[in-house]
């Protein structure tokens, strides 16, 4: 079995690779921008104790600079770990926390 089946049957294989990299980069950037905003909203609503300080926004649009700084520190820590199998369960929990907070509202 070839993992490059799409590149083999396409007209120009490198476009498939470039598209995969572009989609990955797009998803990563979307997560880096949206995760701090979701975290800010969770902190503003005081769903979890002791993290309310991250709910403060700055500027006219209420940018979550504190949450951005926390996301940067978490990302730097994950880069230092450099083991995807160790990181994946932790990242999954960060994505599931906002959804689990919505369950009581249903």
């Amino acid at each position: 079995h070839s993992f490059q089946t799409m590149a083999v049957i396409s007209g120009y294989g490198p476009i498939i690779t470039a598209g995969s990299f572009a989609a990955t980069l797009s998803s990563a950037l979307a997560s880096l921008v949206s995760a701090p905003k979701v975290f800010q909203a969770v902190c503003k609503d005081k769903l979890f104790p002791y993290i309310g300080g991250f709910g403060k926004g700055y500027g006219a649009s209420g940018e979550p600079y504190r949450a951005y700084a926390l996301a940067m520190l978490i990302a730097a820590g994950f880069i230092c770990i450099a083991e995807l199998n160790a990181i994946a369960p932790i990242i999954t929990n960060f994505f599931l926390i906002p959804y689990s907070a919505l369950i009581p509202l249903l």
Side-chain angles (χ1 to χ4, degrees):
H1 297 292
S2 174
F3 291 109
Q4 296 293 327
T5 302
M6 190 72 165
V8 170
I9 64 172
S10 70
Y12 186 64
I15 290 213
I16 303 299
T17 304
S20 296
F21 281 121
T24 301
L25 212 68
S26 171
S27 295
L29 290 175
S31 292
L32 284 175
V33 171
S34 65
K37 292 182 186 260
V38 170
F39 187 61
Q40 179 188 33
V42 167
C43 292
K44 275 185 181 178
D45 291 342
K46 298 181 179 166
L47 295 176
F48 301 104
Y50 311 117
I51 60 171
F54 290 103
K56 182 174 176 165
Y58 295 91
S61 61
E63 289 295 316
Y65 290 146
R66 292 179 182 180
Y68 283 137
L70 180 65
M72 183 190 71
L73 290 172
I74 291 171
F78 286 157
I79 289 169
C80 290
I81 291 172
E83 180 63 42
L84 188 59
N85 290 333
I87 295 169
I90 300 168
I91 292 175
T92 302
N93 285 330
F94 283 123
F95 280 103
L96 291 177
I97 286 173
Y99 295 115
S100 66
L102 293 175
I103 290 174
L105 300 176
L106 299 175

